[in-house]
Short mmCIF file of all heavy atoms in Angstrom, two decimals:
data_model
loop_
_atom_site.label_atom_id
_atom_site.label_comp_id
_atom_site.label_asym_id
_atom_site.label_seq_id
_atom_site.Cartn_x
_atom_site.Cartn_y
_atom_site.Cartn_z
N ILE A 1374 -115.98 -142.63 74.28
CA ILE A 1374 -116.43 -141.23 74.32
C ILE A 1374 -117.08 -140.83 72.97
O ILE A 1374 -117.76 -139.84 72.88
CB ILE A 1374 -115.41 -140.19 74.61
CG1 ILE A 1374 -114.18 -140.26 73.63
CG2 ILE A 1374 -114.98 -140.35 76.08
CD1 ILE A 1374 -113.30 -139.15 73.69
N ASN A 1375 -116.96 -141.69 71.91
CA ASN A 1375 -117.59 -141.43 70.67
C ASN A 1375 -117.90 -142.67 69.79
O ASN A 1375 -117.33 -143.76 70.19
CB ASN A 1375 -116.70 -140.46 69.84
CG ASN A 1375 -117.60 -139.51 68.94
OD1 ASN A 1375 -118.71 -139.73 68.70
ND2 ASN A 1375 -116.92 -138.39 68.49
N LEU A 1376 -118.49 -142.55 68.69
CA LEU A 1376 -118.81 -143.61 67.78
C LEU A 1376 -118.03 -143.33 66.51
O LEU A 1376 -117.75 -142.20 66.12
CB LEU A 1376 -120.27 -143.69 67.43
CG LEU A 1376 -121.27 -143.99 68.59
CD1 LEU A 1376 -122.68 -144.08 68.11
CD2 LEU A 1376 -120.85 -145.27 69.41
N THR A 1377 -117.69 -144.46 65.79
CA THR A 1377 -117.11 -144.34 64.46
C THR A 1377 -118.13 -143.89 63.33
O THR A 1377 -119.27 -144.48 63.36
CB THR A 1377 -116.47 -145.65 64.01
OG1 THR A 1377 -115.50 -146.07 65.02
CG2 THR A 1377 -115.70 -145.60 62.74
N ASN A 1378 -117.82 -142.82 62.61
CA ASN A 1378 -118.79 -142.31 61.58
C ASN A 1378 -120.18 -142.06 62.22
O ASN A 1378 -121.18 -142.34 61.73
CB ASN A 1378 -118.96 -143.37 60.34
CG ASN A 1378 -117.68 -143.67 59.81
OD1 ASN A 1378 -116.90 -142.77 59.38
ND2 ASN A 1378 -117.43 -145.00 59.54
N LEU A 1379 -120.10 -141.20 63.34
CA LEU A 1379 -121.30 -140.89 64.06
C LEU A 1379 -122.28 -140.10 63.35
O LEU A 1379 -122.03 -139.20 62.65
CB LEU A 1379 -120.79 -139.94 65.24
CG LEU A 1379 -121.88 -139.35 66.12
CD1 LEU A 1379 -122.72 -140.41 66.86
CD2 LEU A 1379 -121.28 -138.33 67.09
N THR A 1380 -123.62 -140.49 63.44
CA THR A 1380 -124.75 -139.77 63.02
C THR A 1380 -125.69 -139.64 64.28
O THR A 1380 -125.91 -140.72 64.92
CB THR A 1380 -125.50 -140.61 61.99
OG1 THR A 1380 -124.63 -140.62 60.74
CG2 THR A 1380 -126.81 -139.80 61.45
N LEU A 1381 -126.01 -138.46 64.61
CA LEU A 1381 -126.96 -138.16 65.68
C LEU A 1381 -128.33 -138.01 65.27
O LEU A 1381 -128.65 -137.40 64.24
CB LEU A 1381 -126.55 -137.05 66.49
CG LEU A 1381 -125.16 -137.07 67.24
CD1 LEU A 1381 -124.81 -135.77 67.88
CD2 LEU A 1381 -125.33 -138.06 68.37
N VAL A 1382 -129.32 -138.63 66.07
CA VAL A 1382 -130.68 -138.59 65.83
C VAL A 1382 -131.38 -138.09 67.10
O VAL A 1382 -131.10 -138.57 68.13
CB VAL A 1382 -131.30 -140.01 65.42
CG1 VAL A 1382 -132.79 -139.83 65.16
CG2 VAL A 1382 -130.50 -140.50 64.31
N PRO A 1383 -132.20 -137.06 67.04
CA PRO A 1383 -132.89 -136.52 68.19
C PRO A 1383 -133.77 -137.60 68.86
O PRO A 1383 -134.40 -138.38 68.22
CB PRO A 1383 -133.69 -135.32 67.83
CG PRO A 1383 -133.12 -134.95 66.45
CD PRO A 1383 -132.59 -136.23 65.83
N VAL A 1384 -133.75 -137.62 70.23
CA VAL A 1384 -134.67 -138.48 70.99
C VAL A 1384 -136.03 -137.90 70.65
O VAL A 1384 -136.24 -136.68 70.77
CB VAL A 1384 -134.29 -138.49 72.42
CG1 VAL A 1384 -135.44 -139.04 73.24
CG2 VAL A 1384 -133.02 -139.23 72.65
N LYS A 1385 -137.06 -138.71 70.38
CA LYS A 1385 -138.43 -138.27 70.06
C LYS A 1385 -139.19 -137.96 71.41
O LYS A 1385 -139.91 -137.09 71.41
CB LYS A 1385 -139.18 -139.36 69.32
CG LYS A 1385 -138.85 -139.52 67.89
CD LYS A 1385 -139.59 -140.62 67.11
CE LYS A 1385 -141.01 -140.64 67.41
NZ LYS A 1385 -141.76 -141.59 66.71
N ALA A 1386 -138.96 -138.82 72.42
CA ALA A 1386 -139.66 -138.65 73.72
C ALA A 1386 -138.78 -139.23 74.74
O ALA A 1386 -138.11 -140.25 74.54
CB ALA A 1386 -141.03 -139.20 73.69
N ALA A 1387 -138.77 -138.63 75.95
CA ALA A 1387 -138.17 -139.23 77.18
C ALA A 1387 -139.23 -139.27 78.23
O ALA A 1387 -139.87 -138.22 78.55
CB ALA A 1387 -137.01 -138.38 77.57
N VAL A 1388 -139.44 -140.36 78.71
CA VAL A 1388 -140.49 -140.59 79.82
C VAL A 1388 -139.84 -141.20 81.07
O VAL A 1388 -139.18 -142.19 80.96
CB VAL A 1388 -141.60 -141.49 79.23
CG1 VAL A 1388 -142.66 -141.70 80.38
CG2 VAL A 1388 -142.34 -140.88 78.07
N ILE A 1389 -140.18 -140.58 82.22
CA ILE A 1389 -139.61 -141.14 83.40
C ILE A 1389 -140.73 -141.89 84.15
O ILE A 1389 -141.86 -141.35 84.32
CB ILE A 1389 -139.13 -140.04 84.43
CG1 ILE A 1389 -137.93 -139.26 83.66
CG2 ILE A 1389 -138.67 -140.50 85.71
CD1 ILE A 1389 -137.53 -137.94 84.36
N ASP A 1390 -140.51 -143.13 84.48
CA ASP A 1390 -141.46 -143.99 85.22
C ASP A 1390 -140.80 -144.65 86.38
O ASP A 1390 -140.03 -145.59 86.20
CB ASP A 1390 -141.99 -144.99 84.22
CG ASP A 1390 -143.05 -145.94 84.87
OD1 ASP A 1390 -143.58 -145.54 85.98
OD2 ASP A 1390 -143.41 -146.92 84.29
N GLY A 1391 -140.89 -143.97 87.55
CA GLY A 1391 -140.20 -144.53 88.73
C GLY A 1391 -138.68 -144.38 88.57
O GLY A 1391 -138.20 -143.28 88.36
N LYS A 1392 -138.04 -145.56 88.64
CA LYS A 1392 -136.62 -145.59 88.54
C LYS A 1392 -136.08 -145.86 87.13
O LYS A 1392 -134.91 -146.29 86.90
CB LYS A 1392 -136.00 -146.58 89.56
CG LYS A 1392 -136.27 -146.23 90.93
CD LYS A 1392 -135.55 -147.04 91.95
CE LYS A 1392 -135.93 -148.60 91.81
NZ LYS A 1392 -135.21 -149.40 92.79
N THR A 1393 -136.92 -145.68 86.15
CA THR A 1393 -136.54 -146.00 84.69
C THR A 1393 -136.85 -144.69 83.80
O THR A 1393 -137.89 -143.98 83.97
CB THR A 1393 -137.47 -147.17 84.24
OG1 THR A 1393 -137.21 -148.30 84.96
CG2 THR A 1393 -137.18 -147.39 82.69
N VAL A 1394 -135.83 -144.46 82.92
CA VAL A 1394 -135.99 -143.41 81.99
C VAL A 1394 -136.12 -144.12 80.66
O VAL A 1394 -135.25 -144.95 80.30
CB VAL A 1394 -134.90 -142.41 81.98
CG1 VAL A 1394 -135.12 -141.33 80.96
CG2 VAL A 1394 -134.59 -141.79 83.33
N HIS A 1395 -137.15 -143.79 79.82
CA HIS A 1395 -137.37 -144.49 78.54
C HIS A 1395 -137.22 -143.41 77.42
O HIS A 1395 -137.91 -142.43 77.46
CB HIS A 1395 -138.87 -145.00 78.60
CG HIS A 1395 -139.28 -145.68 77.38
ND1 HIS A 1395 -139.35 -146.99 77.25
CD2 HIS A 1395 -139.80 -145.17 76.16
CE1 HIS A 1395 -139.85 -147.34 75.98
NE2 HIS A 1395 -140.08 -146.14 75.40
N PHE A 1396 -136.37 -143.69 76.52
CA PHE A 1396 -136.06 -142.69 75.36
C PHE A 1396 -136.46 -143.43 74.13
O PHE A 1396 -135.97 -144.46 73.70
CB PHE A 1396 -134.51 -142.46 75.27
CG PHE A 1396 -133.93 -141.87 76.51
CD1 PHE A 1396 -133.25 -142.64 77.37
CD2 PHE A 1396 -134.03 -140.55 76.68
CE1 PHE A 1396 -132.69 -142.08 78.50
CE2 PHE A 1396 -133.51 -139.85 77.82
CZ PHE A 1396 -132.88 -140.69 78.77
N ASP A 1397 -137.51 -142.75 73.44
CA ASP A 1397 -137.89 -143.34 72.04
C ASP A 1397 -137.04 -142.63 70.94
O ASP A 1397 -136.76 -141.40 71.10
CB ASP A 1397 -139.43 -142.92 71.86
CG ASP A 1397 -140.26 -143.76 72.72
OD1 ASP A 1397 -140.07 -144.91 72.91
OD2 ASP A 1397 -141.36 -143.15 73.23
N PHE A 1398 -136.74 -143.39 69.95
CA PHE A 1398 -136.10 -142.75 68.72
C PHE A 1398 -136.52 -143.37 67.49
O PHE A 1398 -137.10 -144.45 67.41
CB PHE A 1398 -134.55 -142.86 68.86
CG PHE A 1398 -134.02 -144.28 68.93
CD1 PHE A 1398 -133.66 -144.93 67.65
CD2 PHE A 1398 -133.88 -145.04 70.11
CE1 PHE A 1398 -133.11 -146.20 67.64
CE2 PHE A 1398 -133.47 -146.38 70.02
CZ PHE A 1398 -133.08 -146.89 68.84
N PHE A 1399 -136.34 -142.70 66.30
CA PHE A 1399 -136.75 -143.13 65.02
C PHE A 1399 -135.64 -142.63 64.02
O PHE A 1399 -135.26 -141.49 63.96
CB PHE A 1399 -138.07 -142.60 64.70
CG PHE A 1399 -138.58 -143.04 63.21
CD1 PHE A 1399 -139.12 -144.31 63.13
CD2 PHE A 1399 -138.50 -142.15 62.21
CE1 PHE A 1399 -139.50 -144.75 61.86
CE2 PHE A 1399 -138.85 -142.67 61.00
CZ PHE A 1399 -139.34 -143.88 60.79
N ILE A 1400 -135.13 -143.60 63.32
CA ILE A 1400 -134.18 -143.29 62.30
C ILE A 1400 -134.86 -143.51 60.89
O ILE A 1400 -135.05 -144.69 60.56
CB ILE A 1400 -132.84 -144.24 62.37
CG1 ILE A 1400 -132.30 -143.89 63.80
CG2 ILE A 1400 -131.87 -143.92 61.32
CD1 ILE A 1400 -131.28 -144.99 64.22
N GLY A 1401 -135.19 -142.48 60.28
CA GLY A 1401 -135.96 -142.53 59.05
C GLY A 1401 -135.10 -143.03 57.84
O GLY A 1401 -133.92 -143.16 57.98
N THR A 1402 -135.90 -143.16 56.72
CA THR A 1402 -135.22 -143.63 55.51
C THR A 1402 -134.16 -142.64 54.94
O THR A 1402 -133.43 -143.01 54.10
CB THR A 1402 -136.26 -143.93 54.43
OG1 THR A 1402 -137.07 -142.73 54.17
CG2 THR A 1402 -137.17 -145.04 54.86
N ASP A 1403 -134.18 -141.33 55.39
CA ASP A 1403 -133.29 -140.35 54.86
C ASP A 1403 -132.11 -140.08 55.89
O ASP A 1403 -131.29 -139.21 55.57
CB ASP A 1403 -134.06 -139.05 54.75
CG ASP A 1403 -134.71 -138.53 55.93
OD1 ASP A 1403 -134.94 -139.35 56.91
OD2 ASP A 1403 -134.96 -137.33 56.13
N ILE A 1404 -131.92 -140.89 56.85
CA ILE A 1404 -130.86 -140.58 57.86
C ILE A 1404 -129.90 -141.78 57.83
O ILE A 1404 -130.27 -142.96 57.91
CB ILE A 1404 -131.43 -140.45 59.24
CG1 ILE A 1404 -132.41 -139.25 59.23
CG2 ILE A 1404 -130.31 -140.33 60.29
CD1 ILE A 1404 -133.25 -139.02 60.57
N GLY A 1405 -128.59 -141.48 57.78
CA GLY A 1405 -127.48 -142.47 57.97
C GLY A 1405 -127.34 -143.36 56.80
O GLY A 1405 -126.72 -144.44 57.09
N ASN A 1406 -127.85 -143.12 55.63
CA ASN A 1406 -127.71 -143.96 54.55
C ASN A 1406 -126.25 -144.19 54.16
O ASN A 1406 -125.44 -143.35 54.11
CB ASN A 1406 -128.47 -143.48 53.36
CG ASN A 1406 -130.02 -143.55 53.61
OD1 ASN A 1406 -130.48 -144.34 54.33
ND2 ASN A 1406 -130.71 -142.65 52.97
N GLY A 1407 -125.91 -145.49 53.78
CA GLY A 1407 -124.56 -145.82 53.44
C GLY A 1407 -123.74 -146.28 54.69
O GLY A 1407 -122.60 -146.66 54.48
N THR A 1408 -124.29 -146.24 55.88
CA THR A 1408 -123.60 -146.63 57.11
C THR A 1408 -123.89 -148.10 57.37
O THR A 1408 -125.01 -148.50 57.38
CB THR A 1408 -124.12 -145.81 58.32
OG1 THR A 1408 -123.95 -144.45 58.07
CG2 THR A 1408 -123.36 -146.24 59.53
N ALA A 1409 -122.84 -148.78 57.64
CA ALA A 1409 -122.97 -150.29 58.14
C ALA A 1409 -123.13 -150.09 59.65
O ALA A 1409 -122.08 -150.03 60.41
CB ALA A 1409 -121.68 -151.05 57.75
N ILE A 1410 -124.28 -150.03 60.24
CA ILE A 1410 -124.45 -149.75 61.63
C ILE A 1410 -124.17 -150.93 62.46
O ILE A 1410 -124.74 -152.07 62.26
CB ILE A 1410 -125.93 -149.26 61.86
CG1 ILE A 1410 -126.32 -148.05 61.07
CG2 ILE A 1410 -126.28 -149.06 63.40
CD1 ILE A 1410 -127.76 -147.70 61.09
N ARG A 1411 -123.27 -150.75 63.38
CA ARG A 1411 -122.81 -151.81 64.29
C ARG A 1411 -122.93 -151.37 65.81
O ARG A 1411 -122.82 -152.19 66.66
CB ARG A 1411 -121.41 -152.28 64.05
CG ARG A 1411 -121.19 -152.99 62.75
CD ARG A 1411 -119.70 -153.42 62.59
NE ARG A 1411 -119.54 -153.87 61.28
CZ ARG A 1411 -119.01 -153.15 60.29
NH1 ARG A 1411 -118.66 -151.84 60.42
NH2 ARG A 1411 -118.89 -153.64 59.01
N GLU A 1412 -123.01 -149.98 65.92
CA GLU A 1412 -123.04 -149.53 67.23
C GLU A 1412 -124.09 -148.42 67.45
O GLU A 1412 -124.48 -147.73 66.55
CB GLU A 1412 -121.66 -148.90 67.64
CG GLU A 1412 -121.13 -147.91 66.74
CD GLU A 1412 -119.75 -147.42 67.04
OE1 GLU A 1412 -119.21 -147.54 68.12
OE2 GLU A 1412 -119.11 -146.75 66.11
N PHE A 1413 -124.62 -148.30 68.64
CA PHE A 1413 -125.54 -147.32 69.01
C PHE A 1413 -125.10 -146.74 70.30
O PHE A 1413 -124.42 -147.33 71.10
CB PHE A 1413 -127.03 -147.97 69.42
CG PHE A 1413 -127.70 -148.43 68.14
CD1 PHE A 1413 -127.41 -149.70 67.56
CD2 PHE A 1413 -128.67 -147.67 67.59
CE1 PHE A 1413 -128.07 -150.27 66.45
CE2 PHE A 1413 -129.44 -148.20 66.43
CZ PHE A 1413 -129.09 -149.51 65.94
N ALA A 1414 -125.52 -145.42 70.60
CA ALA A 1414 -125.11 -144.86 71.86
C ALA A 1414 -126.19 -143.73 72.25
O ALA A 1414 -126.83 -143.20 71.33
CB ALA A 1414 -123.74 -144.18 71.80
N LEU A 1415 -126.34 -143.41 73.55
CA LEU A 1415 -127.11 -142.28 73.98
C LEU A 1415 -126.11 -141.11 74.13
O LEU A 1415 -124.93 -141.33 74.68
CB LEU A 1415 -127.74 -142.58 75.30
CG LEU A 1415 -129.03 -143.38 75.26
CD1 LEU A 1415 -129.53 -143.68 76.64
CD2 LEU A 1415 -130.09 -142.86 74.37
N PHE A 1416 -126.46 -139.94 73.80
CA PHE A 1416 -125.69 -138.69 73.95
C PHE A 1416 -126.44 -137.65 74.59
O PHE A 1416 -127.66 -137.48 74.42
CB PHE A 1416 -125.15 -138.23 72.56
CG PHE A 1416 -124.11 -139.04 71.95
CD1 PHE A 1416 -124.39 -140.08 71.11
CD2 PHE A 1416 -122.79 -138.76 72.28
CE1 PHE A 1416 -123.42 -140.92 70.54
CE2 PHE A 1416 -121.74 -139.52 71.64
CZ PHE A 1416 -122.06 -140.62 70.82
N CYS A 1417 -125.69 -136.88 75.46
CA CYS A 1417 -126.22 -135.71 76.13
C CYS A 1417 -126.22 -134.51 75.20
O CYS A 1417 -125.69 -134.56 74.07
CB CYS A 1417 -125.48 -135.41 77.36
SG CYS A 1417 -125.46 -136.71 78.55
#
Side-chain angles (χ1 to χ4, degrees):
I1374 59 170
N1375 213 344
L1376 301 182
T1377 303
N1378 300 317
L1379 172 66
T1380 298
L1381 289 173
V1382 179
V1384 167
K1385 286 177 46 177
V1388 177
I1389 299 170
D1390 183 13
K1392 297 189 301 182
T1393 299
V1394 183
H1395 178 101
F1396 300 99
D1397 290 321
F1398 65 92
F1399 181 76
I1400 302 167
T1402 56
D1403 59 335
I1404 299 170
N1406 292 332
T1408 303
I1410 301 172
R1411 292 185 190 94
E1412 56 184 344
F1413 289 83
L1415 285 177
F1416 284 89
C1417 299

